[in-house]
Structure formats: structure tokens, C-alpha cells
Amino acid sequence: MLDVVRLRVLLAVARKGSLTAAAKELHYSQPSVSHHLARLEAETGARLIQRAGRGIRLTDAGRLLAERAAEIIGRLDATAEELAAHVGLRSGRVRLAAFPSALGTFVPKAATVLGEAHPGLRLHLTETEPPEALRLLRAGRVDVAVVFRYDDTAPEDSGITMIHLLDDPSYLVSRAPTDGELAGHTEASWIAGCDRCRSHLLDICEKAGFEPRISFTSDDIVAVQALVAAGLGLTMLPGLALRAHRHPDVEVAEVPGSTRHVYAAVYGDPPHPPATGALLEALREALKERL
């Protein structure tokens, strides 16, 4: 069985890139760090580190084990945090990662609902796009990740439970009125967003019979709409983004067949820890009101 202390040492070495820096972070002596790594290599039967000039680097086996160790230790730390909280949710914390337009629409209401129901429970918020939010969830650094996916998005990793929150239609955003049909804009310049949104834009334009000419890329919905208002291109934005911010000089029309699905992602199967369950209930309550 792998020793958790030694896994923490490997993670520190992976982060710092040297035995000396890892020892300083862990408040260990350098010989102690070397000893733990040697024992871990003996336990696994694999060479985990190798010399690289004056420093060290992880081998392929070392990188693989460090990635898995991050998830394992993250889950252990998250469990310790959950156990430290009172069962009645009179204290403790719960951590949520969400994409920007969720944070700009229904998440604040959910935070209010949670605070009123459990005033001793601290909510920590992180703004990030779905791939990073899911990585944080797997590593135990957040308890709930609000994410979105399209029908053409690759399936998420096993071990993650996806709880459907809402469906969010996409809209063609332009300076002049339009009907939302993409086939009429084959020669236009386009403005793309995050990687997941860009991938969906390419896919839906391909279904409409053309490859979009992407002139600008930005994750900032304010900047994207300003570019459209200035006549520099078209874009596609989901409804939540337009509810969070709507430029007065753009026109929008729903794009047929383009809907993203918004989920609350949690690690593992029910029953969920009390704080996680309370946050999920607050998200559902917030969405009962029409956005």
C-alpha cells in the first residue's frame, strides 16, 4: 500500500522541481525527502525521479504517480475538512468553482440562499472554465463545480456525478438584426470564446456547411460584445452570458440546435457530504426563480 506521507513528498518535489525546495516547503531535511522518495520507489518498483543538470525531474512513471497522488491527497484533505465541520452545518466551509456567466447570474442568489439557511457555513468561490473546474474537483480542491457541456462535448471522466441544473440556448450576436441561421454568414469574421465554446462554434458551423473565419478570441463577454458592436465580427453567446451582460448596440437571435447544458458536478455518488448537499440544494432553489 502506498504511503500518503511519501506521496505528499513526491507532490512537493513535482511542484518545486528540487529536493531542497521541497524539503523547505515540507519543513523536512533534504536527506529525509531523499529517504521518502527512495522508499516510494521501492514500494512502487518504478524509478520516479532522475537528475537533470543541477536539478531533478520526474520520470514518466513519476509524473503519472504525482497526478494520481494529487487526486488522492486532495480527496483526503477534503474529507478531513468535511469531518471537521459540524454535522448540523453550524460551521465549516464549502467550495464552489463556476464559469463566469454562472457567477454573474444564479450563483449569487444561491450564495444568499445558502447563507440564510446555514449562516455558519462559509462559501468559497472560484471563477474558472469547466475543464479546470473539473480538475479542481477531482483534486479535492472544490466540492462542487458548476460546468457546462454541449451535445458534442467529450464525456467527463468516471467518478464524477453530473447533476443537471438547466439548459441554456445559444444566440447569434451581431450588429444588425439577424434570424439566427448561421448559413447566411459564411463570409463573416467571427469572435470565439473559451476552448469549449470555440470547439462548439467550429462544430455547429461545420454542420451549417462552412468553416468560420475567426478573427478574434476572448473569454470576456463584455469585450466580445464590444467588438461585435464595433462591427468587427459576429459571435455566439449563451443566454446566461447575455443575462449577465448585454451591450445596448447588439442584436441577438437564438441559434437553432445549439444549447449548452449546465450541471453541478460532484465527486462520487450520493449520499453527498452535508455541506455539499446544502450547496446543491441552494443552487436548485436559486434556479426556481426565472433568470
Side-chain angles (χ1 to χ4, degrees), residues 75 78-79 82-83 86-87 89 94 137 142-145 159-164 264-281 283-284:
R75 300 316 310 169
T79 300
E82 291 160 7
L83 291 174
H86 293 190
V87 174
L89 298 179
V94 64
L137 180 67
V142 299
D143 305 295
V144 178
I160 292 176
T161 299
M162 305 286 279
I163 301 167
H164 182 258
V266 295
Y267 195 89
D269 298 320
H272 304 299
T276 299
L279 178 54
L280 292 173
E281 183 57 34
L283 289 167
R284 295 188 192 98

Side-chain angles (χ1 to χ4, degrees), residues 171-175 182 185 187-195 197-202 205 210 212-238 250:
Y171 294 82
L172 180 62
V173 184
S174 60
R175 188 166 66 167
L182 303 185
H185 302 284
E187 301 302 318
S189 295
W190 288 83
I191 303 161
C194 71
D195 289 344
C197 298
R198 179 191 180 101
S199 176
H200 177 65
L201 173 64
L202 293 173
C205 286
F210 71 100
R213 178 164 54 88
I214 296 175
S215 300
F216 302 97
T217 299
S218 175
D219 293 338
D220 187 330
I221 60 174
V222 176
V224 166
Q225 292 183 57
L227 291 170
V228 172
L232 298 176
L234 307 176
T235 195
M236 251 185 13
L237 288 176
V250 300

Side-chain angles (χ1 to χ4, degrees), residues 97-176:
F99 54 91
S101 57
L103 285 173
T105 50
F106 63 88
V107 168
K109 174 62 177 176
T112 299
V113 170
L114 184 67
E116 291 174 349
H118 307 286
L121 190 62
R122 306 186 314 278
L123 174 63
H124 292 196
L125 296 175
T126 299
E127 178 187 311
T128 189
E129 297 294 341
E132 175 64 10
L134 291 170
R135 189 189 71 80
L136 294 174
L137 180 67
R138 286 192 295 271
R141 294 171 60 186
V142 299
D143 305 295
V144 178
V146 173
V147 301
F148 64 85
R149 55 179 291 112
Y150 294 96
D151 292 335
D152 50 23
T153 302
E156 312 301 349
D157 292 346
S158 60
I160 292 176
T161 299
M162 305 286 279
I163 301 167
H164 182 258
L165 295 178
L166 75 151
D167 293 323
D168 191 17
S170 297
Y171 294 82
L172 180 62
V173 184
S174 60
R175 188 166 66 167

